[in-house]
Every structure is written in C-alpha cells, then in structure tokens.
C-alpha cells in the first residue's frame, strides 16, 4: 500500500473507493459537489486501472485531486485482485473512520469496497444501485448484487432499477432514486469538449460520417469466436455505409486481439483509449455507436446518438425502451440489421437518466453536515 498523502485526512466525512475508468468519471461529479459543499472526503484508489490512459488522464482532465491512497493492486485473477483490495481497504478505513463510504457501479473495486465497509461500523452508499442484466455469467452482475445487498443507502438511477431492488426484498427506506451521475458529468463536460477537443480534426473525421465502436467486456473479447464475430459484423456495417469506424481499444481487448491473431476489417481504425473530452466529442458526432460498454450505452442515449449494443443482455434496459439502443448479440447479420434499424430512427427519445442533479441528491440523502449551503440546483454542474 502506498499512502500518497494518507494520514492527513483523519475523520473525513466521506471516503470514495474507486478503481477503474468508469468509476472515476461517474464519481467525479459527487467529488466536485463535496468540494462545493465543504464536505471533507478521502479518495481511496484500488489501482485496478493504472495505465495512464485509463486512469491518471481522467484525474487530470476532470480536475480531481490525487487519490489520498493508492493500493496499486493492478491486474490479477478475480480472487487475488478482490482479496488484496479487501485487505488494503479495511486497513485504511479502520484508520480513517469516515462517516460514509461511497462506491459506484459493479467492478471488483466496488465488490471489495462494499464488503470491507459492510463489516465495519461505517455506512455504505452504493451509487448506480439496482442495475441487473440477469446474467450471472458476468462478473459485474455478482458484484452489483452483492454491493446492493450489503449497502445501507442505495442510489438507483431510475424507477426501474429501484423496482428490481424492491423485488429482491431491500427495504424501500434504504432507496433513493437519483438519476445517474453520468448526466451530471456530461452537463459539466459537454461544452468543454466542444470548446477544447480537436479530436475530429486530428483523426480527419467529419460529423456524422463515421462510426464509433468500443468492445472490452470479458464475455466478448476473451472469447475468440465472439470477438471475431463482432469485428466481422462492425466491418460489414462500415462497408454498407462506406464509413470508417473509430475503435479506441481497451488494453484487455488489445491483448486478446494479439493473442487470437484476429484480422481487422479495413474500415476499422484502432486508436488508443481516448481521454474523456475527446471521447465525448467522438460520441456526439458519430453517425452510430456500436458498443458493449455500460457507460457508453447511457451516454449515447443522453447525447441522442443511435446505439447498437453487441451483447445478449443489458443492465440498461431504459435505453432500449426509450428507443435509443438495440441489443444485437454478436451475430454479424444481427449487428448489421440492428444498425440499419437504429439509423432509421428519429433520435428525439427521452433521457431516462435524470436531470443532472444526481450528485446533489446523493449528498442530501446521506445526511452529512454541509459547511456551505446552496439551495439553487440549476447549473450545478458548471465547472468552477
Ligand atoms: C473492468 C471491470 C469492467 C469494466 C471495466 C471498465 C471488473 C470485473 N471488470 O474490466 O466491469 O467495464 O473495468 O473499463 O471489475 N489492463 C491494462 N491497464 C490497466 C488495467 C488493465 O493494461 O490500467 C489490462 C490488463 O491486461 C488486464 C486487463 O486489462 O489483465 C483487464 O483489466 P481488469 O481491471 O481485470 O478488467 P477490465 O477488463 O478493465
Ligand atoms: N470512455 C473514455 N474513453 C474511451 C472509452 C470510453 O473516456 O476511449 C468513457 C466513456 O465515455 C464512459 C466510460 O469511459 O463514460 C465507460 O467506461 P468503460 O466502457 O470502460 O466501462 P463500462 O461502462 O462498460 O463499465
């Protein structure tokens, strides 16, 4: 364990436990609200993600403080990774004694943070609670179910997510529907992306003339046949539309691509994982997004860009019901036909993920003392 500035924050009101790209992005608005409200906090990074382009680039761009602790756990098997986090997190929480711990989402960092906290006399809040794919083969499903069932306060983003928790017997008194903090994040960063990102020029792309793809989920890219089908399907869509595909490739996918020696269709252009403002810009201006990411399904929906999800299930069914997303599986013909369907749709669907006040609602709900008060919620996500 390295405690980068550990020890200075004894008695913080909130401890944030995070470890991966989507957690950094989706907890950033809550951390910013703590700053505005004068709430003291500690950031504990598990080190699950450590490559600059999955980690430090987001701290810099989102103007987050360096984590107080970094466990530097790195890449390991599920058991080893989660176990090392559990030991490290427990030690830190015992010395820090925060009033509340917040975890977000469904990664191994969330699982470890949730279990460690639940065995101590510290309240646990789960941000983005109640998501269910009903596919227990996905490690994320186990992580989110466990986190929900040991949490004291749960923040489902939608009424649907809340209904799953109620069906599972979690008392309603623990639940507060907040919307998703990704809306808060986009409200803060969309205009910045528009002003600051030159990614379209750098990649020589014209608005609505290219497709954007991400694929990194273990159930897809660790399976040679599924990964090949995804590449074939997206390649066919690109050929049909005579459009290039930008694929910012996650390191898990990159290593599998090499290990399986898969060939990449001509129109798919591999690029490094993108920093957040550039990725927002790439999403906003794409003709179509093809993905297996959870966060990207939400962002495509909010940004009104049609989306095809190359998975057999989704824990974001709201995106499908409002008409923003189609689940295609990985069969190339299905990817192609769902892409055609989505491109024919009018993209004026409603945003099911709230109005950008999720972070404020979460802080109100956990009932901490605020040393700075602010009653006006509009414009809450403007950068300082
Ligand atoms: C994890 C989450 C997944 C989430 C994703 C976000 C779990 C079980 N999975 O998947 O739900 O969608 O983060 O991106 O928690 N690697 C690097 N650099 C890094 C991190 C990883 O090169 O900074 C490579 C390593 O080869 C590693 C592989 O990526 O073995 C997978 O990393 P890991 O953290 O185990 O899972 P993700 O696929 O990133
Ligand atoms: N993202 C990014 N750069 C990229 C790809 C994704 O900034 O090159 C952001 C994206 O905008 C979203 C988040 O990463 O907010 C999604 O993370 P990821 O797909 O890794 O994980 P998931 O949401 O599937 O757990």
């Amino acid at each position: 364990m390295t405690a980068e500035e550990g020890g200075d924050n004894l008695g913080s009101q909130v401890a944030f436990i995070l470890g991966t790209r989507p957690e950094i992005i989706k907890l950033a608005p809550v951390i910013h609200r703590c700053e505005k409200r004068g709430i003291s906090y500690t950031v504990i990074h598990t080190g699950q993600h450590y490559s600059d382009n999955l980690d430090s680039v987001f701290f810099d761009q989102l103007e987050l403080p360096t984590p107080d602790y970094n466990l530097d756990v790195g890449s390991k098997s599920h058991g080893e990774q989660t176990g090392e986090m559990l030991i490290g997190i427990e030690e830190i929480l015992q010395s820090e004694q925060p009033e509340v711990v917040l975890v977000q989402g469904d990664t191994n960092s969330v699982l470890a943070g949730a279990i460690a906290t639940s065995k101590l006399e510290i309240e646990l809040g789960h941000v983005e609670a109640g998501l269910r794919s009903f596919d227990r083969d996905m490690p994320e499903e186990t992580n989110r179910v466990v986190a929900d069932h040991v949490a004291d306060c749960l923040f489902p983003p939608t009424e649907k997510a809340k209904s799953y928790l109620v069906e599972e017997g979690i008392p309603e008194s623990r639940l507060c529907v907040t919307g998703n903090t990704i809306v808060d994040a986009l409200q803060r960063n969309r205009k910045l992306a528009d002003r600051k990102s030159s990614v379209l020029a750098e990649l020589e792309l014209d608005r609505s003339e290219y497709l954007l793809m991400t694929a990194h989920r273990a159930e897809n890219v660790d399976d040679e046949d599924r990964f090949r089908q995804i590449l074939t399907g997206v390649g066919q869509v690109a050929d049909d539309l005579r459009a290039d595909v930008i694929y910012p490739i996650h390191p898990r996918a990159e290593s599998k691509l090499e290990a399986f020696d898969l060939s990449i269709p001509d129109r798919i252009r591999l690029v490094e994982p993108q920093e957040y403002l550039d990725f927002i810009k790439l999403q906003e201006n794409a003709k179509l997004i093809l993905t297996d990411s959870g966060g990207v399904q939400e962002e495509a929906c909010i940004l009104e860009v049609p989306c095809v999800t190359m998975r057999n299930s989704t824990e974001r069914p709201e995106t499908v019901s409002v008409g923003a997303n189609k689940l295609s599986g990985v069969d190339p013909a299905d990817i192609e036909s769902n892409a055609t369907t989505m491109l024919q749709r009018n993209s004026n669907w409603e945003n099911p993920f709230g109005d950008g006040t999720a972070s404020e609602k979460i802080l109100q709900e956990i009932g901490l003392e605020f040393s700075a008060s602010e009653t006006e919620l509009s414009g809450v996500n403007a950068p300082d």
Side-chain angles (χ1 to χ4, degrees):
M1 172 177 81
T2 56
E4 290 173 8
E5 291 164 21
D8 296 342
N9 290 289
L10 276 176
S12 295
Q13 291 169 287
V14 183
F16 293 95
I17 298 175
L18 49 74
T20 68
R21 170 168 71 186
E23 293 159 74
I24 302 166
I25 292 170
K26 287 178 169 175
L27 282 176
V30 192
I31 295 173
H32 290 141
R33 291 308 291 163
C34 283
E35 295 273 357
K36 286 201 173 160
R37 290 293 199 187
I39 294 173
S40 60
Y41 65 89
T42 301
V43 177
I44 304 169
H45 195 319
T46 63
Q48 180 171 349
H49 282 178
Y50 46 84
S51 300
D52 282 351
N53 57 19
L54 293 187
D55 178 25
S56 56
V57 73
F58 294 97
F59 280 87
D60 292 346
Q61 195 159 58
L62 299 171
E63 298 179 335
L64 294 171
T66 306
D68 299 282
Y69 296 90
N70 195 324
L71 295 169
D72 285 328
V73 166
S75 305
K76 304 209 160 68
S77 70
H78 284 279
E80 218 182 332
Q81 189 180 55
T82 310
E84 276 188 32
M85 291 175 190
L86 199 49
I87 295 167
I89 292 168
E90 182 181 64
E91 201 180 312
I92 296 167
L93 293 180
Q94 277 173 331
S95 78
E96 284 279 341
Q97 291 292 331
E99 291 175 47
V100 181
V101 165
L102 288 178
V103 293
Q104 190 285 331
D106 54 20
T107 65
N108 288 347
S109 298
V110 172
L111 178 65
I115 295 175
T117 309
S118 72
K119 301 283 178 81
L120 301 169
E121 293 287 301
I122 300 171
E123 197 155 290
L124 173 68
H126 186 202
V127 178
E128 204 180 68
L131 273 60
R132 295 290 181 270
S133 66
F134 301 101
D135 178 357
R136 287 286 177 106
D137 289 339
M138 296 174 65
E140 292 86 358
E141 186 77 352
T142 304
N143 295 347
R144 54 175 89 97
V145 169
V146 173
D148 284 339
H149 283 261
V150 296
D152 303 293
C153 311
L154 294 89
F155 304 110
T158 64
E159 290 294 336
K160 178 142 198 111
K162 177 181 172 181
S163 74
Y164 292 144
L165 295 168
V166 172
E167 279 165 28
E168 289 176 18
I170 297 181
E172 286 214 37
S173 56
R174 292 192 203 158
L175 310 179
C176 173
V177 176
T178 56
N180 195 307
T181 59
I182 197 66
V183 181
D184 310 27
L186 283 174
Q187 283 184 359
R188 179 185 172 101
N189 293 297
R190 205 173 165 177
K191 283 199 187 104
L192 288 178
D194 205 38
R195 249 193 1 254
K196 293 190 173 173
S197 169
S198 50
V199 69
L200 296 188
E202 281 157 28
L203 295 176
E204 299 180 351
L205 299 169
D206 291 322
R207 187 169 198 281
S208 296
E209 298 287 326
Y210 66 92
L211 316 179
L212 180 65
M213 144 179 198
T214 76
H216 76 283
R217 289 302 182 114
E219 74 269 20
N220 279 339
V221 302
D222 289 10
D223 180 324
E224 180 173 349
D225 197 42
R226 285 182 74 88
F227 200 0
R228 183 183 293 106
Q229 290 190 77
I230 285 175
L231 293 169
T232 305
V234 175
Q236 281 172 204
V237 176
D239 284 344
D240 296 343
L241 298 169
R242 294 198 187 84
D244 279 0
V245 183
I246 302 300
Y247 180 8
I249 191 158
H250 185 289
R252 174 191 283 275
E254 189 171 30
S255 68
K256 293 297 174 185
L257 201 60
E258 279 164 27
F260 299 145
D261 196 21
L262 296 175
S263 58
I264 302 165
D266 288 345
R267 289 186 185 271
I268 297 184
R269 291 167 55 186
L270 298 187
V271 297
E272 289 291 304
Q274 299 290 296
E275 51 184 46
Y276 194 45
L277 297 185
D278 286 345
F279 195 71
I280 292 175
K281 185 104 172 183
L282 282 169
Q283 288 183 95
E284 266 190 309
N285 291 285
K287 187 180 186 69
L288 175 73
I289 294 175
L290 301 115
T291 193
D292 63 6
S293 158
V296 175
Q297 289 174 65
E298 292 159 356
E299 287 173 338
C301 176
I302 297 160
L303 296 169
E304 300 184 335
V305 179
C307 183
V308 173
T309 296
M310 301 179 291
R311 284 175 38 188
N312 299 333
S313 62
T314 181
E315 59 292 313
R316 273 89 177 171
E318 299 87 349
T319 59
V320 177
S321 19
V322 300
N325 188 13
K326 288 272 287 178
L327 266 186
S328 69
V330 298
D331 184 296
D334 292 338
I335 293 174
E336 222 178 349
S337 67
N338 282 295
T340 306
T341 306
M342 282 312 303
L343 285 168
Q344 286 162 352
R345 286 206 180 148
N346 192 332
S347 60
N348 59 354
W349 46 73
E350 67 174 284
N351 159 23
F353 295 114
D355 60 1
T357 56
S359 314
E360 177 64 24
K361 290 189 180 114
I362 289 163
L363 292 183
Q364 295 280 355
E365 190 62 22
I366 56 181
L368 297 168
E369 295 271 316
F370 295 157
S371 66
S373 73
E374 197 183 331
T375 45
E376 182 56 60
L377 285 188
S378 60
V380 286
N381 299 310
D384 292 324

